[in-house]
Amino acid sequence: MNQPNQSSTPTEAFNRAAYSVVTELALAACSESSLIFQAGDANITVSAHRTGTLRLQLGNTQRPDYGLLVKPDAEGKLGVVATDTGWEVVFADLTLKLHKSPFRITLERGGKPLVGSITDQHFRGRSRIPAFGHDISGGKWCVSLALESDTALYGFGEKFGPLNKRGQLVRGRTEDALGVNTELSYKNIPFFWSPDGWGMLIHSTGVVRHGAGFPQWSHRSYIAEVDDDVLDLFLFVGTPAEVISHYTALTGHPAIAPLWSYGMWLSRAYYRTPQEAIDAAAEVRRRQVPCDVITLDGRAAWDVKTRFCFEWDPSRFSGDYSAEKTLATLKSYDLKVCAWEYPYVSIYNPLFKELEAKGWLLKDADGRAAVFDWVKDPTDNPFGPVLTPLPPSGIVDFTHPDASRYWGDRHNALFDDGVDVMKTDFGEQVEPDMVASNGDTGRHLHNVYPLLYNRAVYDATQRYNDTHGRGAAMVWGRDGFIGSQRYPMQWGGDPQTDWEAMAASIRAGLGYGMSGVPFYATDVGGFYGAEQPDAELYLRWTANAIFSSHFRYHGIGEREPWAFGDATLEIAKKLLAFRYRLIPYIAGAAAQAAATGMPLMRAMPLAFPKDRLARCFELQYLFGDALLFAPIIAAGGCTQVYFPAGENWVDIETGEWIAGGSVKTVTRPLDRFAVFGREGHVLCLGRAVQHTGEIDLVAPVETAWVFGDANSDPCVMNNAVTLSQGGKLLGISADRIRVFAK
């Protein structure tokens, strides 16, 4: 299909592409859980899944199964009734009306319409965009839904702009965005929902362009252009929390990351020698900065020309600084070690020829190993003077089972040397004409490739951990797609060192959470910029990232707290001490996420979907069940906070109670947070420790803060503190309970 020009009319954009409109349909076959309708040359299948989930498939072509769905089989019981205008499909309290001439749908719950096909008609009388259309020549589909004037749309993966995508054109293609300042992003998920009570997953690995009330197409419609030979849709019904629960039940419940991962990760791009990394580890402990992980980034571990091949740079890691000795020294400071990788093999490394001979690299159209070159134009190096250019490389073919297993198992030697977790960077470089061993091309492999890559490394880590008694696995990944929540976790890539990039990173984490992925981190301090972050930005970024699932200092240049002076160091230590006290609470929220898919950072539309005013405050969020957090995103320490209606809130800094439905301007010094307790809830805090190995796993809670009269079960690891029916906290003595009385 031609790429629509944003200035063109919707009719020109779509009808020029010769979309055939799906018209008549007839019931062709039925079973208890599926119905097949014949519509011209294409079949339409309706199937029932778990409660609140219906599937609608159009087309006949079978695509490779990448395991995006953990429960792909229909399991509900459908009823069907013929009507004068088509068919009504009934599943529990849901009714999906299939209208013909032309084909369109209406989804109802309990007799109330929730969402239906486009109602936007052209002046000439036809629908401006087909409700369902197929571009046979280009192998694309479109689907169009009607939106009410106040319908908001959330999700779509990691995006750095406004959370409500209404009015935007959202392109779902994984990109090395080289920043957080545009619509390009590293984690695109074709799943979204509305607070109106419905959501949708487009089950496709192709690029999806979402016109979310995009006015150049139709401001009153959601229109998706799907680059795939079939159109496979899941419709979800329920509250936003229920929709996310339905989505994660379908695509996989989140795994829980290891406890140590919730501590502070220390990194920079990069430690130039093993001794530099050792010095940083020693300084962390000497200055008593709480920390759990140190990262050896790409140029810290591997030779620039031949990376990545599982072999430490021999010019640095040898003799007294062998990898085994260096990592043992780092670990002697009670630190885990993270090492960087990417799924590419330099043409200058012998491993390239070896994998090419085995057919374990993606191929070009001529059947040879495809070579990706980052520098397309010698006069326009994408890395500029900032980073060392990456070498031309082959791309590991993770659709080949032997290649995937080989790549995973090669990590064992790194784990033997002392690596605990891999930083799985990159994954966006699969090009359209590349060919995989399963017969798919880059057209459909591009978006799903990061999932296959992270799955291979995550599974390899878990196999090794199971064999050696090392507990839960994780990766520190950059890219994501449908199902990425199964392989925790992902961080947001490459923010600029300024206030707006910090704010964009917060929005990205909230949007990713609303897309069914509960864990997220950012590069605290910013990754790149003309200047290093000043102390105020550095400390505000630190304070804001305390209230995220994971925390890492990282960037080009020093990011260690002592690099910003003694005063900054002392404040950073205070903020990090509170982070470590929060870990029992964070671990409890992670367990909730594994069961329900609810993120730790819960944006206002997700946490309070009925409060329309709350949606306007897109940067504040509910952190777990008990805390409302308002990040400070500008110099001066001032922010406006909206307190959701129907509940009361207490300022944990001052003890002041604030009625819901109000807005308050709050100012905080650099060593304090704008954070508020939710009435009826309990915040369980642990001791201030230097690393998670010092947490008492049997009795992790030092004190419990009760906001008013407790009426909700505490969110805490291992259910260490519970609430009796009489409102009494069990598992903690009365002298360790602090009550914020109204």
Short mmCIF file of all heavy atoms in Angstrom, two decimals, residues 459-492:
data_model
loop_
_atom_site.label_atom_id
_atom_site.label_comp_id
_atom_site.label_asym_id
_atom_site.label_seq_id
_atom_site.Cartn_x
_atom_site.Cartn_y
_atom_site.Cartn_z
N ASP A 459 15.92 -17.56 28.74
CA ASP A 459 15.81 -19.00 28.97
C ASP A 459 17.16 -19.62 29.30
O ASP A 459 17.26 -20.50 30.17
CB ASP A 459 15.20 -19.69 27.76
CG ASP A 459 13.70 -19.41 27.60
OD1 ASP A 459 13.10 -18.87 28.55
OD2 ASP A 459 13.16 -19.72 26.52
N ALA A 460 18.22 -19.17 28.60
CA ALA A 460 19.56 -19.69 28.88
C ALA A 460 19.98 -19.34 30.30
O ALA A 460 20.59 -20.16 31.01
CB ALA A 460 20.55 -19.14 27.87
N THR A 461 19.68 -18.10 30.71
CA THR A 461 20.02 -17.68 32.07
C THR A 461 19.28 -18.52 33.10
O THR A 461 19.85 -18.96 34.10
CB THR A 461 19.70 -16.19 32.27
OG1 THR A 461 20.30 -15.43 31.22
CG2 THR A 461 20.21 -15.69 33.61
N GLN A 462 18.00 -18.78 32.84
CA GLN A 462 17.22 -19.57 33.78
C GLN A 462 17.71 -21.02 33.84
O GLN A 462 17.75 -21.62 34.92
CB GLN A 462 15.74 -19.52 33.44
CG GLN A 462 14.84 -20.10 34.52
CD GLN A 462 14.92 -19.30 35.82
OE1 GLN A 462 14.42 -18.18 35.89
NE2 GLN A 462 15.55 -19.86 36.84
N ARG A 463 18.09 -21.59 32.69
CA ARG A 463 18.63 -22.95 32.69
C ARG A 463 19.89 -23.02 33.55
O ARG A 463 20.06 -23.94 34.36
CB ARG A 463 18.95 -23.42 31.27
CG ARG A 463 17.75 -23.74 30.42
CD ARG A 463 18.14 -24.53 29.17
NE ARG A 463 19.07 -23.81 28.30
CZ ARG A 463 18.71 -23.01 27.31
NH1 ARG A 463 17.41 -22.78 27.08
NH2 ARG A 463 19.61 -22.42 26.55
N TYR A 464 20.76 -22.04 33.36
CA TYR A 464 22.00 -22.03 34.14
C TYR A 464 21.68 -21.83 35.62
O TYR A 464 22.25 -22.51 36.49
CB TYR A 464 22.92 -20.91 33.65
CG TYR A 464 24.29 -20.92 34.29
CD1 TYR A 464 25.36 -21.58 33.68
CD2 TYR A 464 24.52 -20.29 35.51
CE1 TYR A 464 26.62 -21.59 34.27
CE2 TYR A 464 25.77 -20.29 36.11
CZ TYR A 464 26.81 -20.94 35.48
OH TYR A 464 28.05 -20.96 36.07
N ASN A 465 20.79 -20.90 35.92
CA ASN A 465 20.45 -20.64 37.32
C ASN A 465 19.83 -21.87 37.98
O ASN A 465 20.11 -22.15 39.15
CB ASN A 465 19.48 -19.46 37.40
CG ASN A 465 20.16 -18.13 37.13
OD1 ASN A 465 21.34 -18.08 36.80
ND2 ASN A 465 19.41 -17.04 37.26
N ASP A 466 18.98 -22.58 37.26
CA ASP A 466 18.38 -23.79 37.82
C ASP A 466 19.44 -24.83 38.15
O ASP A 466 19.38 -25.50 39.19
CB ASP A 466 17.36 -24.37 36.84
CG ASP A 466 16.11 -23.51 36.71
OD1 ASP A 466 15.88 -22.65 37.58
OD2 ASP A 466 15.38 -23.69 35.71
N THR A 467 20.41 -24.96 37.25
CA THR A 467 21.47 -25.96 37.46
C THR A 467 22.37 -25.58 38.63
O THR A 467 22.86 -26.45 39.36
CB THR A 467 22.32 -26.11 36.18
OG1 THR A 467 21.48 -26.50 35.11
CG2 THR A 467 23.42 -27.14 36.37
N HIS A 468 22.59 -24.28 38.82
CA HIS A 468 23.56 -23.83 39.82
C HIS A 468 22.91 -23.18 41.03
O HIS A 468 23.60 -22.56 41.85
CB HIS A 468 24.54 -22.84 39.17
CG HIS A 468 25.40 -23.44 38.12
ND1 HIS A 468 24.97 -23.65 36.83
CD2 HIS A 468 26.68 -23.91 38.16
CE1 HIS A 468 25.94 -24.21 36.12
NE2 HIS A 468 26.98 -24.37 36.90
N GLY A 469 21.60 -23.33 41.16
CA GLY A 469 20.92 -22.83 42.35
C GLY A 469 20.96 -21.32 42.51
O GLY A 469 21.06 -20.81 43.64
N ARG A 470 20.87 -20.58 41.40
CA ARG A 470 21.01 -19.13 41.46
C ARG A 470 19.67 -18.40 41.45
O ARG A 470 19.64 -17.17 41.41
CB ARG A 470 21.87 -18.62 40.31
CG ARG A 470 23.29 -19.18 40.30
CD ARG A 470 24.28 -18.30 39.57
NE ARG A 470 23.82 -17.78 38.29
CZ ARG A 470 24.59 -17.05 37.48
NH1 ARG A 470 25.85 -16.79 37.83
NH2 ARG A 470 24.13 -16.59 36.34
N GLY A 471 18.56 -19.10 41.47
CA GLY A 471 17.26 -18.44 41.59
C GLY A 471 16.71 -17.93 40.28
O GLY A 471 17.06 -18.40 39.19
N ALA A 472 15.86 -16.92 40.38
CA ALA A 472 15.14 -16.39 39.22
C ALA A 472 16.08 -15.70 38.25
O ALA A 472 17.06 -15.07 38.64
CB ALA A 472 14.05 -15.43 39.67
N ALA A 473 15.76 -15.82 36.96
CA ALA A 473 16.54 -15.18 35.90
C ALA A 473 15.93 -13.85 35.54
O ALA A 473 14.79 -13.53 35.89
CB ALA A 473 16.60 -16.08 34.67
N MET A 474 16.70 -13.07 34.81
CA MET A 474 16.20 -11.84 34.21
C MET A 474 17.16 -11.44 33.10
O MET A 474 18.25 -12.01 32.95
CB MET A 474 16.08 -10.72 35.23
CG MET A 474 17.41 -10.19 35.73
SD MET A 474 17.26 -8.71 36.77
CE MET A 474 16.55 -7.52 35.62
N VAL A 475 16.75 -10.49 32.29
CA VAL A 475 17.63 -9.79 31.36
C VAL A 475 17.40 -8.30 31.59
O VAL A 475 16.37 -7.89 32.12
CB VAL A 475 17.36 -10.14 29.88
CG1 VAL A 475 17.71 -11.59 29.59
CG2 VAL A 475 15.90 -9.87 29.51
N TRP A 476 18.37 -7.49 31.21
CA TRP A 476 18.20 -6.04 31.22
C TRP A 476 18.10 -5.63 29.75
O TRP A 476 19.06 -5.33 29.10
CB TRP A 476 19.38 -5.35 31.91
CG TRP A 476 19.19 -3.88 32.14
CD1 TRP A 476 19.48 -2.89 31.25
CD2 TRP A 476 18.68 -3.24 33.31
NE1 TRP A 476 19.16 -1.67 31.79
CE2 TRP A 476 18.68 -1.85 33.06
CE3 TRP A 476 18.22 -3.70 34.55
CZ2 TRP A 476 18.24 -0.92 34.00
CZ3 TRP A 476 17.78 -2.78 35.48
CH2 TRP A 476 17.79 -1.41 35.22
N GLY A 477 16.87 -5.72 29.22
CA GLY A 477 16.66 -5.59 27.78
C GLY A 477 16.23 -4.20 27.37
O GLY A 477 15.68 -3.44 28.16
N ARG A 478 16.43 -3.89 26.10
CA ARG A 478 16.04 -2.57 25.58
C ARG A 478 14.77 -2.62 24.76
O ARG A 478 13.91 -1.75 24.89
CB ARG A 478 17.16 -1.96 24.73
CG ARG A 478 16.85 -0.53 24.32
CD ARG A 478 18.03 0.20 23.75
NE ARG A 478 18.31 -0.14 22.35
CZ ARG A 478 19.21 0.50 21.61
NH1 ARG A 478 19.92 1.48 22.13
NH2 ARG A 478 19.41 0.16 20.36
N ASP A 479 14.61 -3.62 23.91
CA ASP A 479 13.47 -3.67 23.00
C ASP A 479 12.38 -4.58 23.55
O ASP A 479 12.65 -5.50 24.32
CB ASP A 479 13.90 -4.18 21.63
CG ASP A 479 14.94 -3.28 20.99
OD1 ASP A 479 14.87 -2.06 21.21
OD2 ASP A 479 15.84 -3.79 20.31
N GLY A 480 11.16 -4.34 23.12
CA GLY A 480 10.05 -5.16 23.57
C GLY A 480 8.97 -5.30 22.52
O GLY A 480 8.90 -4.53 21.56
N PHE A 481 8.09 -6.30 22.76
CA PHE A 481 6.98 -6.56 21.84
C PHE A 481 5.91 -7.33 22.61
O PHE A 481 6.00 -7.51 23.83
CB PHE A 481 7.49 -7.35 20.62
CG PHE A 481 6.51 -7.41 19.47
CD1 PHE A 481 6.02 -6.25 18.90
CD2 PHE A 481 6.08 -8.62 18.97
CE1 PHE A 481 5.11 -6.30 17.85
CE2 PHE A 481 5.18 -8.69 17.92
CZ PHE A 481 4.69 -7.52 17.35
N ILE A 482 4.90 -7.81 21.90
CA ILE A 482 3.86 -8.62 22.52
C ILE A 482 4.52 -9.77 23.29
O ILE A 482 5.31 -10.53 22.74
CB ILE A 482 2.92 -9.21 21.46
CG1 ILE A 482 2.22 -8.10 20.67
CG2 ILE A 482 1.89 -10.15 22.09
CD1 ILE A 482 1.49 -8.60 19.42
N GLY A 483 4.22 -9.89 24.57
CA GLY A 483 4.75 -10.98 25.38
C GLY A 483 6.04 -10.67 26.11
O GLY A 483 6.55 -11.52 26.85
N SER A 484 6.58 -9.46 25.95
CA SER A 484 7.86 -9.15 26.60
C SER A 484 7.77 -9.19 28.12
O SER A 484 8.80 -9.33 28.79
CB SER A 484 8.36 -7.77 26.15
OG SER A 484 8.92 -7.84 24.86
N GLN A 485 6.56 -9.07 28.66
CA GLN A 485 6.43 -9.13 30.12
C GLN A 485 6.88 -10.48 30.68
O GLN A 485 7.18 -10.59 31.87
CB GLN A 485 4.98 -8.84 30.52
CG GLN A 485 3.96 -9.90 30.15
CD GLN A 485 3.40 -9.74 28.75
OE1 GLN A 485 3.87 -8.91 27.99
NE2 GLN A 485 2.39 -10.52 28.41
N ARG A 486 6.96 -11.51 29.84
CA ARG A 486 7.40 -12.82 30.31
C ARG A 486 8.89 -12.87 30.58
O ARG A 486 9.37 -13.81 31.23
CB ARG A 486 7.03 -13.89 29.28
CG ARG A 486 5.57 -13.87 28.86
CD ARG A 486 5.14 -15.14 28.16
NE ARG A 486 5.84 -15.43 26.93
CZ ARG A 486 5.33 -15.28 25.70
NH1 ARG A 486 4.11 -14.78 25.57
NH2 ARG A 486 6.00 -15.63 24.65
N TYR A 487 9.63 -11.88 30.08
CA TYR A 487 11.09 -11.89 30.20
C TYR A 487 11.55 -10.57 30.80
O TYR A 487 12.04 -9.69 30.10
CB TYR A 487 11.71 -12.12 28.81
CG TYR A 487 11.04 -13.24 28.07
CD1 TYR A 487 10.24 -12.99 26.95
CD2 TYR A 487 11.14 -14.55 28.51
CE1 TYR A 487 9.60 -14.02 26.28
CE2 TYR A 487 10.48 -15.58 27.85
CZ TYR A 487 9.71 -15.31 26.74
OH TYR A 487 9.07 -16.33 26.09
N PRO A 488 11.39 -10.40 32.10
CA PRO A 488 11.74 -9.11 32.70
C PRO A 488 13.24 -8.88 32.64
O PRO A 488 14.02 -9.83 32.74
CB PRO A 488 11.28 -9.28 34.16
CG PRO A 488 11.34 -10.76 34.41
CD PRO A 488 10.96 -11.39 33.12
N MET A 489 13.67 -7.59 32.44
CA MET A 489 12.78 -6.47 32.27
C MET A 489 13.36 -5.61 31.17
O MET A 489 14.40 -5.94 30.60
CB MET A 489 12.58 -5.71 33.59
CG MET A 489 13.84 -5.40 34.39
SD MET A 489 14.95 -4.14 33.73
CE MET A 489 13.87 -2.71 33.77
N GLN A 490 12.73 -4.49 30.84
CA GLN A 490 13.23 -3.60 29.78
C GLN A 490 13.41 -2.19 30.34
O GLN A 490 12.66 -1.75 31.20
CB GLN A 490 12.26 -3.56 28.59
CG GLN A 490 12.18 -4.85 27.80
CD GLN A 490 11.20 -5.83 28.39
OE1 GLN A 490 10.08 -5.49 28.74
NE2 GLN A 490 11.61 -7.09 28.51
N TRP A 491 14.45 -1.54 29.82
CA TRP A 491 14.67 -0.15 30.19
C TRP A 491 14.46 0.73 28.98
O TRP A 491 14.49 0.28 27.85
CB TRP A 491 16.09 0.03 30.78
CG TRP A 491 17.14 0.50 29.82
CD1 TRP A 491 17.55 1.79 29.63
CD2 TRP A 491 17.94 -0.30 28.92
NE1 TRP A 491 18.55 1.84 28.69
CE2 TRP A 491 18.80 0.57 28.23
CE3 TRP A 491 18.00 -1.67 28.63
CZ2 TRP A 491 19.71 0.13 27.28
CZ3 TRP A 491 18.91 -2.12 27.68
CH2 TRP A 491 19.75 -1.22 27.02
N GLY A 492 14.24 2.03 29.25
CA GLY A 492 14.04 2.98 28.17
C GLY A 492 15.37 3.51 27.68
O GLY A 492 16.22 3.91 28.47
#
